[in-house]
């Protein structure tokens, strides 16, 4: 079976039908071995720092911790997730980094109290942190003045981006850090998702220039995340050897110039978890409307928002309820249960509904939306009062329930009726 086959009998060795029977639908299923393989791909970097926001389930974090990855967090509760998954708050190489453009009151309190390393993306963060925790090390996230992203919404560099310290203000920020007795020990750039080699070369050039400006205290460089994965058969992936080579050459030039070792970090989210994830849904209606054939499933954009947010493409496969793996192909549109016309998984950017060649299917067949491990479950919502999906981690041939499906009581637990 090719990895893009449109009929799927199993996930990580477990029949899809059995997973649906045991755990219900919609359910996210993660393949632990795929996550480990992706960490292994990046061993040449001194630090692989996982961007927790891509998939923050505690079991996934614990798996990544055991696989040797450290974490990058963007909120107080992401820090608490990392702690709950067994990460130490501080260490020689910080196990947990907080990267953001602001501190809300909770995150400032938490990083000060627990000694979490901070990667500052705005001058105000330097002032606020310096007031509370003088003497600490910080890193600076620099916006190099250009960016890249698979969609305008994921572009995280350039003048239109809110992220990072504007490159022309680096000098002022270094001075501000010094006034607050904060040591700037590293620089960081994350310019967006879907980075290619040409952009990486630009990033390396910009980091090198910034590091020489920042001077001899720089001990670590993070080239950020953004490593792409193939969502379509025709998508090209990045040559990791060449990717590392570019970064390593820049690091070596810096070591030469600064006269000491400089550690190289990479900070992927999507790359580590996207391919491990499968959203398993059940087809509950098959409708013909004029020339269109609709497969309507019990998962919607409350479970997977990437198609409606970015027009993202995900491979889709069918697990036939009768086990018949010889279904002819038809063109179908796949939609969910929400009272919203945008609740379509087969749409392009701008909300254009697209047909997809898929096996002929019937009510009761399972439909699997693939490569949904990154920015899938974490973007889930309770829209239409739908419970958050269950999550399963398959490890060593055993499916573990790592998130129960939400109940009505949990969904309404924080609400109250006055009077
Ligand atoms: C989102 C994010 C990442 C990960 O991006 P991917 O495209 O998932 O690799 C890394 N670093 C920071 C600061 C981020 O905000």
């Amino acid at each position: 079976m090719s990895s893009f086959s449109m009929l799927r009998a199993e996930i990580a060795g477990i029949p899809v039908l059995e997973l649906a029977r045991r755990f219900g639908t919609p359910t996210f299923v993660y393949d632990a071995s795929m996550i480990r393989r992706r960490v292994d791909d990046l061993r040449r970097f001194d630090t692989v720092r996982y961007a927790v926001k891509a998939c923050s389930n505690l079991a996934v974090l614990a798996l990544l911790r055991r696989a040797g990855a450290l974490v990058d967090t963007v909120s107080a509760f992401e820090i608490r997730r990392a702690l709950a998954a067994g990460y130490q708050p501080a260490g020689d190489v910080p196990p947990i980094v907080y990267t953001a453009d602001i501190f809300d009151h909770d995150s400032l309190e938490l990083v000060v109290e627990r000694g979490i390393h901070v990667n500052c993306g705005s001058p105000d963060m330097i002032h606020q942190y310096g007031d509370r925790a003088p003497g600490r090390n910080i890193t600076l996230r620099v916006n190099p003045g250009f960016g890249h992203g698979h969609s305008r919404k994921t572009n995280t560099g350039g003048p239109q981006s809110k992220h990072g310290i504007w490159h022309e203000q680096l000098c002022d920020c270094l001075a501000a850090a010094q006034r607050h007795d904060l040591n700037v020990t590293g620089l960081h750039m994350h310019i967006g998702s879907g980075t290619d080699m040409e952009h990486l070369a630009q990033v390396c050039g910009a980091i090198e220039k910034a590091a020489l400006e920042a001077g001899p205290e720089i001990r670590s460089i993070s080239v950020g995340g953004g490593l792409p994965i193939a969502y379509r058969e025709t998508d090209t992936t990045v040559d990791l050897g060449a990717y590392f080579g570019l970064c390593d050459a820049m690091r070596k030039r810096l070591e030469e110039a600064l006269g000491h070792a400089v550690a190289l970090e990479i900070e992927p989210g999507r790359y580590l978890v996207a391919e491990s994830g499968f959203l398993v849904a059940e087809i509950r209606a098959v409708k013909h409307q004029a020339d269109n054939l609709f497969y309507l499933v019990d998962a919607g954009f409350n479970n997977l928002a990437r198609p409606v947010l970015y027009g993202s493409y995900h491979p889709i496969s069918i697990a036939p309820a009768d086990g018949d793996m010889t279904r002819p192909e038809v063109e179908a549109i796949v939609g969910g249960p929400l009272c919203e016309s945008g609740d379509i998984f087969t749409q392009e950017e701008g909300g254009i509904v697209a047909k997809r060649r898929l096996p002929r299917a019937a009510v009761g067949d399972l439909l699997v939306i693939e490569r949904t491990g990154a920015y899938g479950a974490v973007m889930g919502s309770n829209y239409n009062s739908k419970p958050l999906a269950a999550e399963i981690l398959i490890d060593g041939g055993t499916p573990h329930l790592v998130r129960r499906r939400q109940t009505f009581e949990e969904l309404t637990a924080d609400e109250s009726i006055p009077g």
Side-chain angles (χ1 to χ4, degrees), residues 51 53 72 99 141 188 190 193 225-226 267-270 375:
K53 73 175 193 276
D72 187 69
T99 295
R141 174 176 183 174
H188 169 279
H190 171 72
S193 297
E267 196 177 76
R270 181 186 321 278
Y375 308 107

Side-chain angles (χ1 to χ4, degrees), residues 219-241:
R219 309 261 162 189
S220 78
I221 292 292
S222 171
V223 294
L227 276 178
I229 67 126
Y231 285 105
R232 297 172 191 261
E233 214 151 357
T234 50
D235 284 351
T236 51
T237 48
V238 71
D239 173 347
L240 288 174

